[in-house]
Amino acid sequence: MAELTVAHRVALAALLERCPDAMLRTVAAAVAPLPGDRAAELRIMLAEEARDRKRRALVLAPVLPMFRPRVDGVAAMTFPAHVLPRLWKVASGREPHLLKRLDNDEAEAAVVADRICLAAAAVTRDQPAMIWPDDGDAAARDQGLTDLAACLDLSHLARRGLPSLEVWLKRPDGDQIAELRLLLKDCAGVRLDGAQRVLEMLFAHLDDAVLILRIVTQTSLAAGREGFLSESELAGFVDRLIAGVDVRAKRIAAFKPGGDLGHVEAVIADLGWCAAVLGELDVTLTLSPQSVWGKSVRDGRVAIARQLSNLLRAADKAVDQALPLERVQIAGRMTRKAPNLAAPVEGETVTAALSLLRLVGSVRGPASTFGCEADRRSLVEALTVRLTDHADETLRMINDGDAGDEAHALALTELAGRCLDLIDATEAARTVRRRAAVAGGPLRDGEASSRAA
């Protein structure tokens, strides 16, 4: 079979360069069993691309997360994703003979990686058009190039600190805290803003943004005091976290139950995130109630607590609407309430109830932070009794032959069981389903005979 032409190789190389890592692995798995010379050449190209990406990840490890936006949406120093392959291609091409040494032992690879990062900083300054093409926003591009070059200048120091990142987030001892402070001092020796920039680089490696507070407050003996921190260059991290709380508080306030159940998952995530941030602020900083930060934190806490209380009350009402009761006559003028067996088991009302109950069952931690856990627990207890009673009464009506549509009545029972699951009343839900499995109205003579046989 003919080999790949030069044009084929160029086109394939350009295509593979643009493939995400997951897609590249999928392509490699698909090509692996294929016969022929072209398939063999393609396998070689795939292996070379994978090796090149592995080297790139090693060399640019200190800044690699900065080439994608933060998942949590918190403001951070980031760079466009399309700059990364350009930066690597130009920087690694300056001294291609060094690349093989990246595959050797860690110590040697780290030395080579630091050298290539310094080369990357140089090309960012000397050949900006090759690294970051003009995208129309000249001011943002110029600032981005400046930030990128500065981070690459400090990459050897950030690389030194990355292995200790997990330790600094937990309970570092005196020596480990001294290591952090020495790192920041060395960074400040390279650039006046070196300490702040290396913290930006460490911040990019944290999936949980609030954890940066644990590092910031260890940078100085006085860093835990609001007055010191608010006047330092590190204040921006606290500002961003509080801004993140404000954004999420608005989203929580705007939440309307019903529609897509995925919406409530986003609200639950927002509640959990805000609770974690506010809890960490309480632990790591001493905030004055009269300060800007203190007032912002208090306002955010009050707003979220109020909305969470409203949602708990809404859940109580939503269950009544999704599984309504109706008055039925039992003797003379005597009436009692019984399940409305004609109620729908799907639709906007049911979806709203399920959304709110999912929230009720998922916010135990945040409810404690916002002072609503007692209300939430009382609601869960009351709903457990109410939903169980509704299911039991529905099953009694089925067994007594009072349900015109047994299948629909059983669907209502299953809805009650699902509601119990959502509020973590799993034992009650299991009992409801067990009873429903053996429920059935009075048998007609023919049915009784056939079952007996």
Side-chain angles (χ1 to χ4, degrees), residues 92-372:
S92 61
R94 285 204 161 188
E95 295 180 282
H97 61 283
L98 293 177
L99 297 180
K100 289 184 178 180
R101 295 173 61 186
L102 293 170
D103 305 327
N104 298 337
D105 65 274
E106 292 185 9
E108 182 181 5
V111 171
V112 174
D114 291 340
R115 181 168 171 176
I116 295 176
C117 280
L118 291 177
V123 299
T124 300
R125 293 188 176 95
D126 299 339
Q127 300 173 286
M130 293 186 66
I131 303 301
W132 193 322
D134 189 359
D135 55 5
D137 191 343
R141 175 177 176 272
D142 290 345
Q143 184 60 52
L145 285 164
T146 299
D147 290 337
L148 179 57
C151 289
L152 290 167
D153 286 337
L154 296 163
S155 60
H156 63 292
L157 294 172
R159 194 187 310 277
R160 188 181 87 194
L162 284 176
S164 299
L165 184 57
E166 196 69 25
V167 173
W168 294 332
L169 295 176
K170 294 179 180 177
R171 294 183 179 273
D173 57 29
D175 291 340
Q176 292 161 341
I177 293 175
E179 179 190 0
L180 171 62
R181 293 175 182 172
L182 178 60
L183 173 66
L184 298 180
K185 182 179 179 181
D186 291 344
C187 292
V190 175
R191 298 180 57 92
L192 289 176
D193 59 356
Q196 181 180 1
R197 288 189 180 278
V198 83
L199 285 172
E200 291 282 1
M201 296 163 75
L202 296 178
F203 183 51
H205 286 264
L206 299 177
D207 292 332
D208 192 352
V210 72
L211 294 179
I212 192 63
L213 291 177
R214 301 185 185 183
I215 296 178
V216 168
T217 53
Q218 293 166 10
T219 59
S220 166
L221 293 174
R225 296 202 302 267
E226 179 185 8
F228 171 85
L229 187 57
S230 63
E231 295 176 1
S232 76
E233 69 277 7
L234 306 181
F237 290 110
V238 180
D239 290 334
R240 292 179 220 174
L241 292 171
I242 292 177
V245 171
D246 291 340
V247 169
R248 286 163 176 77
K250 292 177 182 176
R251 289 207 298 250
I252 294 167
F255 169 66
K256 303 295 182 186
D260 186 359
L261 287 177
H263 292 168
V264 74
E265 297 294 349
V267 172
I268 292 168
D270 284 344
L271 285 165
W273 193 91
C274 291
V277 169
L278 294 176
E280 193 69 31
L281 284 169
D282 288 341
V283 171
T284 55
L285 293 179
T286 304
L287 298 178
S288 168
Q290 304 305 318
S291 67
V292 174
W293 285 349
K295 290 178 180 177
S296 296
V297 167
R298 183 182 65 249
D299 291 346
R301 192 187 299 272
V302 169
I304 295 173
R306 183 186 302 115
Q307 180 61 8
L308 182 53
S309 294
N310 291 339
L311 291 172
L312 294 177
R313 288 193 293 270
D316 194 14
K317 296 177 182 177
V319 171
D320 287 339
Q321 294 172 352
L323 293 169
L325 301 176
E326 62 179 355
R327 287 203 168 274
V328 295
Q329 189 172 0
I330 54 176
R333 294 185 178 182
M334 295 178 63
T335 62
R336 65 178 180 86
K337 286 188 175 182
N340 180 353
L341 300 187
V345 293
E346 57 185 19
E348 186 174 340
T349 301
V350 172
T351 302
L354 294 176
S355 295
L356 288 166
L357 291 178
R358 187 189 298 267
L359 184 143
V360 170
S362 302
V363 296
R364 179 180 301 174
S368 297
T369 300
F370 297 113
C372 303

Side-chain angles (χ1 to χ4, degrees), residues 389-414:
D389 288 347
H390 187 285
D392 287 347
E393 181 64 14
T394 301
L395 292 172
R396 187 194 66 75
M397 294 172 71
I398 293 173
N399 290 329
D400 290 348
D402 295 335
D405 185 343
E406 286 191 10
H408 186 77
L410 286 170
L412 285 171
T413 304
E414 173 55 31

